[in-house]
Amino acid sequence: MLAKEITPKAIVDYLDQYVIGQDEAKRTLAVAVYAHYRKLSALGGQTDMIAKSNVLIIGASGTGKTLACESLSRFLSVPFVTANATSLAQTRYVNEEIEAVLQRLIDKAGGDVQRASQGIVFIDEIDKLKASTGESNTTSGESVQHALLKIMEGAPFKLGADRFIDTTNILFICGGAFVGLDKIMSRTHSFGFIATSESDNKNILDRLNERVKPTDLFEFGLIPEFTGRLPVIARFGELSREMLARIMSVPKNAIYHQFREVFRAEGVELVVAPPVFEQIAEIAIEYKTGGRSLRGIFEELMTPILYLVPDHPEIGRVEIGSLFEAPRYFKRPPEARS
Ligand SMILES: Nc1ncnc2c1ncn2[C@@H]1O[C@H](COP(=O)(O)OP(=O)(O)OP(=O)(O)O)[C@@H](O)[C@H]1O
Ligand SMILES: [Mg+2]
């Protein structure tokens, strides 16, 4: 099931190529996933002996939660789908929606139900399942939690008339921003009082304080049975300006590399100086959508240049030194023109 060379460290090394920062969370995720698939292969068919360790990812919007899970499933080459808890709650027929999610997982596995039953399902916006909305044609968050409980725990799930998928070995990763959880934690975690001075035990205290307890989630609005099925918790932190700047230029598929390729196809070299990434990061912080707004801002910067370049074959190089200065265009040597 899981190749020998796939260790938690190998998983983290792979994630490092795509997900900037979030080191602690990447390690937690890697160990959880590793343990899950190792247990599957060690116990063979006797899967009823497995205590499942589904994972909860807590982190603000645009901090890399979906990106990390997607990268993870690509590395493990297991089928992966994402579902949205909010849309599960917006229907009266939760089970039909869940069936559709599992059906998508089977499609991702090329129709192979067996392979699908060892895949990963990522359920986003799980934090939106707290209170009932009161609308009659929707299902309350609480009953969606109950419906999800069943498949997370593992059970044969009926697909259409005569087919079943066993969800016992599917790894469920739930994600959510949990806005307001910090407030609950600052009330329920009293470790802070041990601190005698600002700096001395800050590291240990930070770690203790950052640990989310099941009771915090309960107070937030998840039912105890549900929090009990999510023993592993990974927290994705806010992205700093420096991290945001790196997201644009460091990962393998970073947007800067993508645009350099586009320009190279025109025979033009694109050079964006480091301060530009920092300036864009600054703007992204104000938008408060994590890494999500970076692409839009960067594309806006590129639009006028991409508009101009194809009509000017004499341009061989474009340099952008700052968001507040015009781009500089350089002629290519005459013999290089085609
Ligand atoms: N840590 C990160 N490293 C690299 N890129 C990131 C990171 N965080 C965010 N991004 C960029 O921002 C985009 C959005 O991130 P992602 O979809 O992972 O957010 P999310 O945490 O799942 O947010 P939401 O809660 O809104 O679903 C990604 O496609 C990626 O380009
Ligand atoms: Mg997401």
Side-chain angles (χ1 to χ4, degrees), residues 62 64-67 122 124 292:
K65 302 187 296 294
T66 305
L67 178 70
F122 179 58
D124 219 345
R292 209 178 281 284

Side-chain angles (χ1 to χ4, degrees), residues 102-303:
L102 294 174
Q103 189 55 56
R104 271 197 288 131
L105 189 67
I106 295 171
D107 294 344
K108 280 283 182 72
D112 183 343
V113 178
Q114 175 59 26
R115 211 167 97 74
S117 70
Q118 302 188 330
I120 299 177
V121 174
F122 179 58
I123 307 170
D124 219 345
E125 299 196 13
I126 207 79
D127 52 334
K128 305 283 157 59
L129 293 181
K130 41 182 207 176
S132 151
T133 60
E135 288 169 48
S136 58
N137 56 350
T138 64
T139 311
S140 79
E142 201 175 310
S143 43
V144 177
Q145 289 185 50
H146 277 290
L148 287 176
L149 260 184
K150 242 186 283 164
I151 57 161
M152 282 168 58
E153 182 84 316
F157 192 95
K158 205 160 181 244
L159 298 165
D162 51 359
R163 286 201 311 161
F164 287 88
I165 179 169
D166 185 351
T167 64
T168 311
N169 297 339
I170 294 178
L171 180 67
F172 289 88
I173 302 180
C174 295
F178 288 85
V179 176
L181 188 69
D182 279 336
K183 274 218 181 70
I184 293 174
M185 285 173 65
S186 67
R187 241 188 302 122
T188 57
H189 293 235
S190 50
F191 306 112
F193 292 119
I194 323 167
T196 47
S197 79
E198 272 295 298
S199 57
D200 53 354
N201 340 347
K202 193 152 191 333
N203 258 331
I204 305 168
L205 290 173
D206 274 355
R207 287 176 61 105
L208 283 174
N209 280 326
E210 275 166 18
R211 265 196 75 84
V212 180
K213 294 185 291 185
T215 46
D216 300 327
L217 297 172
F218 176 53
E219 191 164 331
F220 185 87
L222 295 186
I223 59 175
E225 299 94 311
F226 197 77
T227 63
R229 298 311 190 278
L230 296 165
V232 182
I233 298 176
R235 292 194 83 188
F236 276 59
E238 296 285 341
L239 298 166
S240 66
R241 191 179 76 145
E242 194 256 335
M243 286 160 146
L244 288 166
R246 284 174 56 209
I247 286 174
M248 284 175 277
S249 55
V250 174
K252 269 191 170 171
N253 54 350
I255 187 160
Y256 179 39
H257 300 314
Q258 290 175 17
F259 271 93
R260 277 179 65 87
E261 281 305 317
V262 171
F263 279 92
R264 191 170 298 138
E266 298 276 347
V268 176
E269 191 190 7
L270 172 72
V271 181
V272 178
V276 175
F277 296 118
E278 282 166 30
Q279 290 162 347
I280 294 176
E282 202 78 65
I283 299 171
I285 287 174
E286 286 188 16
Y287 286 179
K288 291 189 169 53
T289 50
R292 209 178 281 284
S293 44
L294 295 172
R295 171 170 282 272
I297 304 170
F298 193 86
E299 280 181 2
E300 223 169 283
L301 174 68
M302 289 297 122
T303 304

